[in-house]
Amino acid sequence: MNQQITIPNLETRMPIRIGNMIDASIASVFVGYATNSPTVILWSELAFFGSLGLGLGFRLLDKAVIKARNIKKIDFKEVYGVDINNLQQMSLEDRVEEFRELTNILNDTYVPQEEGLKKLAPDVLNILAEYIGRHTGQKVVYSSRIRIPMIIGKLFPHKNPARVYSTDEILFYNDLGIFNPFCLAHEFTHRYGYRNEIQAQVLAYFSLMESGNPQYTQSARATRLESHLYGICERDDKLFEQEFATLRPELRDEMIAIASPQLNFIERLVEPFSEITSKLKNKVRKTNISDYTEGFTNFLYTAGERVK
């Protein structure tokens, strides 16, 4: 690795989210019009355009640094020998075989994830930066800051974390247990400019698998296993139930937990727990499921990456 380059990412270091500042200013404008207060309207509009300009300025600064330092990206065809647009499709039999291999490993080695998201974030980011740097010759250091909106997360929990492309901020709405390291690596990969979901999954997987940290490799394997689980569910409900039952109880709970947060707090009050757990079987991951799960595992299969 020849270079180390730091990206400012100033918007992620603000004490208050720029997105929240914009939302608050818009709400204030409505209040101003509702109360017929020109002063409130004026200051709200100034706050709105000021926040918008601040966010835009931060993004332009990052882009200027990226362009000036000629930051490179991984060539997936060169590194993995795989054309991301021409992947081999795994058969159901191959998925079941890999699922069982992963189940055997994870059932024997499972350890609960005890470190929280904010403590994990800097280390996961560094591991990802080191991994990408080994293939590009540049260690690019982005911010490891994430935000956890506690109140919104409690009221309207999202199943998955999200990166806000307009401000480059990463939001985690709930703890994801053993999936925390992988989800952090995935979202940080987007911060590195890899917008394609298959690419983000692949880079997160390989960086954690090569980290040498047992909890990180566990997270990568668990995500691969989860992806196969959804692939099996799409094709054979009975087989899904049969294979899901072979997971040790703690792993089943982890899989259920990552599925059930899609329900908001009102639904949780009115639906019995058994129906919440059934969301896993009923294909809760409908958005980009082919990229997050089948595309990801098809890539590993095409690259000849066996379970280990």
Side-chain angles (χ1 to χ4, degrees), residues 6-226:
T6 300
I7 307 300
N9 270 162
L10 295 178
E11 65 273 23
T12 70
R13 306 178 198 278
M14 294 279 289
I16 302 174
R17 280 190 63 223
I18 290 177
N20 289 348
M21 293 163 61
I22 293 173
D23 293 343
S25 61
I26 292 173
S28 297
V29 169
F30 282 113
V31 170
Y33 279 108
T35 59
N36 196 27
S37 173
T39 302
V40 172
I41 294 171
L42 174 62
W43 284 105
S44 299
E45 289 177 343
L46 288 173
F48 171 76
F49 288 110
S51 301
L52 203 62
L54 191 63
L56 180 60
F58 287 157
R59 296 296 288 135
L60 289 175
L61 176 61
D62 288 348
K63 288 183 180 297
V65 173
I66 290 169
K67 184 175 181 180
R69 300 302 298 272
N70 191 28
I71 291 175
K72 304 168 187 174
K73 286 189 177 181
I74 284 181
D75 184 327
F76 278 68
K77 178 73 172 177
E78 180 181 318
V79 172
Y80 305 108
V82 175
D83 179 358
I84 201 167
N85 298 310
N86 189 25
L87 301 177
Q88 297 178 41
Q89 300 296 312
M90 291 187 74
S91 67
L92 178 59
E93 292 74 20
D94 287 329
R95 288 191 181 280
V96 172
E97 181 183 350
E98 280 202 1
F99 179 87
R100 290 172 179 172
E101 291 174 2
L102 288 161
T103 297
N104 290 335
I105 296 171
L106 289 166
N107 278 348
D108 290 340
T109 61
Y110 173 81
V111 177
Q113 178 66 55
E114 296 180 354
E115 290 185 317
L117 286 161
K118 289 194 173 182
K119 189 172 181 181
L120 286 168
D123 192 41
V124 170
L125 179 78
N126 185 62
I127 285 169
L128 180 65
E130 293 276 359
Y131 177 79
I132 293 175
R134 286 197 292 274
H135 296 288
T136 63
Q138 300 171 321
K139 182 179 180 180
V140 182
V141 181
Y142 280 80
S143 166
S144 64
R145 289 281 298 275
I146 62 171
R147 297 191 191 270
I148 305 175
M150 299 298 293
I151 296 176
I152 296 176
K154 292 292 184 185
L155 295 178
F156 302 99
H158 291 225
K159 194 181 83 63
N160 290 319
R163 172 178 172 256
V164 182
Y165 283 101
S166 59
T167 63
D168 213 22
E169 292 179 299
I170 294 173
L171 308 178
F172 273 78
Y173 295 93
N174 51 281
D175 187 276
L176 300 172
I178 62 172
F179 296 98
N180 279 341
F182 191 93
C183 288
L184 281 166
H186 177 103
E187 296 305 328
F188 285 145
T189 301
H190 287 319
R191 187 170 276 176
Y192 274 76
Y194 298 89
R195 295 196 175 191
N196 182 281
E197 297 298 346
I198 296 176
Q199 291 181 338
Q201 291 286 85
V202 168
L203 290 177
Y205 178 82
F206 280 108
S207 63
L208 295 183
M209 285 300 295
E210 294 186 14
S211 69
N213 183 313
Q215 290 204 322
Y216 294 172
T217 55
Q218 171 180 255
S219 188
R221 290 187 184 111
T223 302
R224 187 171 182 176
L225 179 142
E226 181 209 19

Side-chain angles (χ1 to χ4, degrees), residues 224-239:
R224 187 171 182 176
L225 179 142
E226 181 209 19
S227 298
H228 283 314
L229 192 60
Y230 282 107
I232 295 168
C233 175
E234 285 283 307
R235 293 165 175 78
D236 190 325
D237 282 356
K238 187 174 181 181
L239 183 60

